[in-house]
Amino acid sequence: MKQIWPAPERNKDPILDVLRRVLPASGRLLEIASGSGQHATYFSEHLPDWTFFPSDPDPEHRVSIDEWVNEAEQENLQRARDIDVLREDWDIERMDAVFCANMIHIAPWECTPGLLAGVGRCLKEDGLFVLYGPFRIGGAHTAPSNEAFDERLKGRDPTWGVRNLDDIVSLAAAQGLVFLERVTMPANNFTVVFHKQASTS
């Protein structure tokens, strides 16, 4: 069943603005935790020289993604892949970019290092990783609304919560992913961009 979520409708244009600025002219982009499929469909429409590979571990989400794919009829938009960030083998070809939105705060912490390790494995040298969501900066919340949101998340599941960006940057560096920039987004969110280092060997 095709799903329509409010958050992707709100944030798709600000995120697209960042993608247009940071991505090269063309390539292959893997989206992790695509959810409903709205982002992949919208971005593939507006970035026609990029091929988009949506993915999600939830079967219901993959059904929704494929409904969006079928309806869009865009040659550069692939059907949903089953990718769980905790699996060591994502069974995906090398990508020029990886994108992930609103996942790590609604998943157990171990999913964050799993995500970064997988990105490190599947991203080509000089590729980009773009991560969107709320973050704590220097260990502190950036707004009272984010602190309240964090408390609500932990009330639903103590393994969830708004993550500290410094921790993510450190984990990313261990996978050869170098922090490039943090872009302030609406509703106290951020888009964070990482660059995959070229091998020195």
Side-chain angles (χ1 to χ4, degrees):
M1 180 178 175
K2 178 181 171 183
Q3 301 181 34
I4 301 175
W5 297 353
E9 288 301 305
R10 289 195 302 267
N11 61 37
K12 63 186 182 182
D13 282 311
I15 295 173
L16 178 61
D17 288 342
V18 177
L19 294 178
R20 279 178 164 152
R21 179 172 60 80
V22 302
L23 292 178
S26 62
R28 297 150 57 86
L29 183 147
L30 170 65
E31 183 182 16
I32 296 296
S34 298
S36 64
Q38 289 159 263
H39 275 157
T41 305
Y42 191 72
F43 298 156
S44 61
E45 176 187 355
H46 290 83
L47 297 168
D49 293 324
W50 277 81
T51 300
F52 284 78
F53 296 78
S55 73
D56 203 283
D58 187 316
E60 291 186 4
H61 292 174
R62 293 198 300 274
V63 169
S64 177
I65 294 164
D66 286 343
E67 288 287 338
W68 280 95
V69 171
N70 293 339
E71 186 177 287
E73 296 183 337
Q74 294 162 198
E75 291 186 0
N76 66 326
L77 179 59
Q78 303 292 308
R79 295 177 68 82
R81 306 290 184 96
D82 178 6
I83 294 180
D84 183 333
V85 297
L86 294 179
R87 288 203 307 257
E88 290 191 6
D89 182 8
W90 287 5
D91 191 25
I92 191 81
E93 49 266 56
R94 287 294 186 98
M95 293 286 151
D96 300 288
V98 179
F99 170 71
C100 180
N102 286 333
M103 185 201 88
I104 63 174
H105 60 283
I106 53 172
W109 168 249
E110 57 263 28
C111 291
T112 297
L115 169 67
L116 295 168
V119 171
R121 290 191 302 268
C122 77
L123 197 60
K124 291 181 179 178
E125 291 184 355
D126 294 325
L128 294 176
F129 173 45
V130 181
L131 181 65
Y132 171 88
F135 300 97
R136 288 181 286 125
I137 306 298
H141 289 289
T142 59
S145 60
N146 276 22
E147 184 172 6
F149 178 52
D150 189 32
E151 291 176 357
R152 290 197 301 273
L153 289 173
K154 291 174 179 174
R156 291 177 60 187
D157 188 322
T159 68
W160 293 4
V162 176
R163 309 306 182 186
N164 184 22
L165 184 58
D166 291 345
D167 295 336
I168 296 164
V169 169
S170 295
L171 287 171
Q175 303 297 333
L177 303 168
V178 179
F179 171 74
L180 287 184
E181 64 174 311
R182 183 184 81 223
V183 184
T184 301
M185 306 293 280
N188 302 307
N189 290 299
F190 297 95
T191 297
V192 188
V193 183
F194 297 86
H195 172 253
K196 175 70 178 291
Q197 282 185 320
S199 175
T200 56
S201 59

